[in-house]
Amino acid sequence: MDMTRRPRRLRTDGVRPLVRETEVSASDLIAPVFVDATTDERVPIETMPGHERVPVDESVARVEDVLETGVEAIMVFGIPESKDERGSRAWASDGVVQEAVRRITDETDAYVITDVCLCEYTEHGHCGVLEETAESDPDLTVRNDETLGLLGNIAVSHARAGADMVAPSGMMDGMVGAIREALDEDGHSDVPVMSYAAKFESSFYGPFRDAADGAPAFGDRRHYQMDPANAREARREVELDVEQGADVLMVKPALPYLDVVRDVRETYDHPVAAYNVSGEYAMLHAAAEKGWLNLEEVAYESLLSIKRAGADLILTYFAEDVADRL
């Protein structure tokens, strides 16, 4: 045999790290932080081992825990003290996210991103203003255009509180353009928008809905989140967000949609983010508890695969654990 090409030559211990094509660093990671206005103490999230809801008074301490691991960016999610039909606490100046962001930006150097959505704030758990027949005979469940103004209000309230970046996640048509316009009109033209540009109606979100108390009271989100079967539609969704001024493009979930992450990376020169969601986190924890997997190794390999597919940023519940070991 004429074996002049031997790939194993580059797998010896000395050269293997020198030719490694992909690395994960703490600066690639964004850590989710859950702030809960209904509690005065930290509350563990049973479906997401190692994570907890924290009261507003503990939000700074929680972020300082993150920063100690080397992770520099956080995403703030809020659980309000009360909910109503339109989710009005989402844009209240004294709302849970707004209060937490003021404290975090005043007292830490964290880069603060906020989730811009309504599902945690509405009584019905959907991501916008409902159609009249949403529960009994839905057409598109949520009134798209009427919801856009509310999303703009939320983004502006977060920017006024000091958020460095806003991240709309509701998958409303035109949401990026509406938020960009609202931010600019209020004097926040330097605040970037990280759009959940391709967000699929996934079964991997279950633990998060427990964490953020945002599960729909009826029905599901198939009328606004994407069909998991559709990759070409994802291209169209992302293209629209680019046209409307999105600064960062996110794919959610991550691991089951690495083909979409790769496609976005190859098509656009924008920074690409991927959300390693709660179900991806919980299933690895569950397997590790059974002794079937080494949690530390599979967590890192999961993030490495997301980075290799083309993500520049990874929003992940593994952020602190992985960063702490890098």
Side-chain angles (χ1 to χ4, degrees), residues 35-40 53-56 77-84 87-100 120-123 212-213:
V35 184
D36 187 346
T38 70
T39 184
D40 294 324
R53 297 180 179 185
V54 302
V56 173
F77 297 91
I79 298 91
E81 68 276 19
S82 62
K83 303 186 180 194
D84 59 35
S88 61
R89 294 301 298 170
W91 62 87
S93 61
D94 60 347
V96 58
V97 168
Q98 292 82 353
E99 291 286 358
E120 297 100 326
Y121 299 87
T122 56
E123 295 172 335
D213 193 21

Side-chain angles (χ1 to χ4, degrees), residues 44-271:
I45 301 168
E46 293 184 6
T47 53
M48 294 167 59
H51 284 271
E52 55 194 3
R53 297 180 179 185
V54 302
V56 173
D57 287 345
E58 289 280 334
S59 58
V60 170
R62 174 71 187 94
V63 172
E64 289 174 341
D65 292 342
V66 173
L67 296 176
E68 287 178 2
T69 68
V71 175
E72 301 168 352
I74 62 164
M75 174 86 86
V76 180
F77 297 91
I79 298 91
E81 68 276 19
S82 62
K83 303 186 180 194
D84 59 35
E85 185 71 14
R86 292 173 70 85
S88 61
R89 294 301 298 170
W91 62 87
S93 61
D94 60 347
V96 58
V97 168
Q98 292 82 353
E99 291 286 358
V101 167
R102 286 189 195 97
R103 300 186 187 202
I104 294 166
T105 54
D106 284 346
E107 299 182 42
T108 79
D109 293 326
Y111 189 83
V112 179
I113 309 168
T114 57
D115 178 65
V116 176
C117 198
L118 285 159
C119 57
E120 297 100 326
Y121 299 87
T122 56
E123 295 172 335
H124 46 75
H126 282 283
C127 301
V129 180
L130 291 181
E131 298 173 326
E132 291 184 5
T133 59
E135 185 169 0
S136 60
D137 185 23
D139 180 17
L140 290 174
T141 304
V142 168
R143 294 177 177 173
N144 190 93
D145 294 5
E146 191 173 339
T147 299
L148 295 180
L150 305 187
L151 297 179
N153 292 342
I154 299 169
V156 167
S157 74
H158 290 178
R160 288 176 178 176
D164 296 298
M165 177 185 286
V166 296
S169 60
M171 286 299 287
M172 296 296 117
D173 293 344
M175 66 180 184
V176 171
I179 288 171
R180 182 73 274 158
E181 182 178 355
L183 289 171
D184 291 353
E185 288 180 353
D186 202 64
H188 305 289
S189 58
D190 291 335
V191 174
V193 176
M194 176 166 67
S195 173
Y196 287 63
K199 181 179 179 179
F200 293 84
E201 194 220 354
S202 172
S203 298
F204 284 91
Y205 300 151
F208 173 87
R209 291 174 181 171
D210 291 338
D213 193 21
F218 59 85
D220 54 37
R221 293 177 176 149
R222 70 186 185 279
H223 290 148
Y224 41 102
Q225 294 178 1
M226 289 178 54
D227 186 336
N230 294 358
R232 294 192 300 273
E233 183 186 4
R235 296 175 191 168
R236 299 196 295 274
E237 283 279 8
V238 173
E239 181 180 8
L240 288 169
D241 284 4
V242 169
E243 291 173 354
Q244 292 169 38
D247 300 285
V248 182
L249 306 170
M250 183 191 288
V251 176
K252 179 184 180 182
L255 291 176
Y257 298 91
L258 293 182
D259 59 322
V260 179
V261 174
R262 169 58 66 181
D263 193 26
V264 175
R265 170 71 290 142
E266 291 180 343
T267 305
Y268 299 99
D269 58 7
H270 291 57

